[in-house]
């Protein structure tokens, strides 16, 4: 798989076709030991790879890399989670929800605790502290922030448990312990970037005049490089394999690549 810039601002026809051409370049140079990129725009004198061969090779990848029905890298990710791991992660999520409910319940207790704390202050400071406490932290005036800092006993929150009944504090600790226990037995979900093709997706591949995707011409079918085939029998791949849920083009290409009669792969390796 080639570097794909379509996930970071280059998701346009030019960027998509660049990824496809880079992929073909990687496959040909790494597995066949030769470059086919020169044939992308036109035939070259004395070059055994014609432009038709380039687009026949491109047709192999077309169902998975359709530039008119593109998938950016984030859409090609497959989770490595097993079903058991997924169920475990769901259980952790449920326990976290339980903890949030417990925090909300504890917050109500905090409210009554804050009211008791305020009774210790005389007016007008009591009203000033109450207003400061009920004002969102990012909207408090410097005077309100200073008043709360000077009277920290009023700054009651779910993370400050000393004004909360001991039983409520113990309940939160139990929730935390259960979540930690499950999380320790569960690893983060990992993903793998894969190249897949939608079922029944068979886009046409056109030869581009002078390599320009805006000038499509002849429809091309998937086939092997002419120079790597017997003189009297060019290897062509089925447009669609009815025995498979996908086109099967890349599978057929892979079998040809690794077949004992392929002269290029055998020579290269």
């Amino acid at each position: 798989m080639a570097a794909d810039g379509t996930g970071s601002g280059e998701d346009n026809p030019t960027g998509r076709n660049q990824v496809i051409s880079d992929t073909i370049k990687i496959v040909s140079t790494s597995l066949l030991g030769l470059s086919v990129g020169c044939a992308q725009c036109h035939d070259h004198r004395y070059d055994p790879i014609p432009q038709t061969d380039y687009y026949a090779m491109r047709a192999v990848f077309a169902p998975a890399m359709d530039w008119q029905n593109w998938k950016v890298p984030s859409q090609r990710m497959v989770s490595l989670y097993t079903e058991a791991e997924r169920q475990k992660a769901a259980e952790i999520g449920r326990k976290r929800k339980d903890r949030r409910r417990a925090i909300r319940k504890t917050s109500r207790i905090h409210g009554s605790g804050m009211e008791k704390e305020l009774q210790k202050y005389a007016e007008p400071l009591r009203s000033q502290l109450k207003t400061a406490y009920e004002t969102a932290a990012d909207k408090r005036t410097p005077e309100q922030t200073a008043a709360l800092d000077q009277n920290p006993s009023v700054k009651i929150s779910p993370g400050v448990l000393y004004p909360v009944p001991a039983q409520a504090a113990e309940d939160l600790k139990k929730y935390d312990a259960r979540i930690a226990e499950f999380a320790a037995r569960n690893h983060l979900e990992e993903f793998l970037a894969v190249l897949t093709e939608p079922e029944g997706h068979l886009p046409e591949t056109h030869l581009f005049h002078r390599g320009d995707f805006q000038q499509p011409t002849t429809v091309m079918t998937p086939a092997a490089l002419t120079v790597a085939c017997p003189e009297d029998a060019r290897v062509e791949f089925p447009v669609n394999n009815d025995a498979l849920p996908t086109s099967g083009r890349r599978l057929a290409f892979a079998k040809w690549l690794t077949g004992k009669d392929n002269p290029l792969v055998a020579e290269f390796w």
Side-chain angles (χ1 to χ4, degrees):
M1 297 178 70
D4 190 342
T6 62
S8 55
E10 294 298 326
D11 187 16
N12 51 55
T14 299
R16 296 173 180 183
N17 280 281
Q18 185 62 51
V19 175
I20 297 171
S21 63
D22 287 346
T23 299
I24 294 173
K25 177 180 178 180
I26 291 171
V27 171
S28 64
T29 56
S30 65
L31 299 177
L32 297 172
L34 52 80
S35 172
V36 301
C38 292
Q40 182 177 357
C41 299
H42 50 76
D43 293 346
H44 285 254
R45 186 178 297 179
Y46 307 122
D47 191 334
I49 302 175
Q51 189 183 22
T52 51
D53 273 15
Y54 179 88
Y55 287 93
M57 185 173 177
R58 176 170 168 139
V60 171
F61 298 93
M65 305 186 82
D66 181 359
W67 69 278
Q68 297 186 72
N69 187 23
W70 191 255
K71 288 185 178 182
V72 296
S74 61
Q75 296 173 316
R76 298 184 185 275
M77 306 301 286
V78 172
S79 173
L80 297 182
Y81 250 8
T82 64
E83 185 57 33
E85 290 169 333
R86 197 174 300 283
Q87 292 177 1
K88 195 178 296 182
E91 179 65 18
I92 293 173
R94 285 192 292 271
K95 290 190 177 297
R96 284 178 174 152
K97 287 181 181 178
D98 289 342
R99 187 185 191 281
R100 284 195 290 272
R101 282 194 290 269
I103 289 176
R104 286 196 294 270
K105 179 180 178 182
T106 305
S107 295
R108 289 194 293 271
I109 299 173
H110 284 157
S112 61
M114 188 269 290
E115 290 294 339
K116 291 179 181 179
E117 285 296 317
L118 286 174
Q119 295 305 315
K120 300 176 182 179
Y121 298 89
E123 292 290 1
L125 180 58
R126 181 192 304 167
S127 297
Q128 293 170 352
L129 290 173
K130 179 177 173 59
T131 301
Y133 177 83
E134 294 175 347
T135 302
D138 59 344
K139 295 183 179 180
R140 289 172 184 160
T141 65
E143 292 77 14
Q144 289 176 326
T145 302
L148 290 174
D149 289 341
Q150 293 167 9
N151 301 278
S153 64
V154 181
K155 296 169 65 175
I156 298 173
S157 68
V160 181
L161 296 177
Y162 69 86
V164 180
Q167 186 57 51
E170 288 301 316
D171 288 344
L172 284 181
K173 291 178 182 178
K174 289 178 182 178
Y175 280 117
D176 287 340
R178 291 177 198 164
I179 293 172
E181 178 186 353
F182 271 80
R185 300 203 305 263
N186 192 56
H187 62 76
L188 293 175
E189 186 171 9
E190 296 179 320
F191 296 86
L192 184 68
V194 299
L195 188 63
T196 59
E197 54 185 77
E199 184 174 349
H201 185 60
L202 303 171
E204 288 187 337
T205 298
H206 293 84
L207 186 149
F208 296 154
H209 177 63
R210 301 192 68 80
D212 182 1
F213 61 83
Q214 298 182 85
Q215 301 186 65
T217 59
T218 311
V219 174
M220 303 298 302
T221 54
L225 299 179
T226 304
V227 71
C229 299
E231 291 186 9
D232 58 344
R234 188 186 183 197
V235 177
E236 296 184 346
F237 307 122
V239 171
N240 185 48
N241 186 336
D242 293 331
L244 298 174
T246 58
S247 70
R249 297 184 193 183
R250 287 180 296 138
L251 177 60
F253 182 67
K255 289 182 176 179
W256 171 76
L257 276 177
T258 57
K260 62 182 178 61
D261 296 327
N262 189 316
L264 291 177
V265 175
E267 174 72 19
F268 186 59
W269 290 101

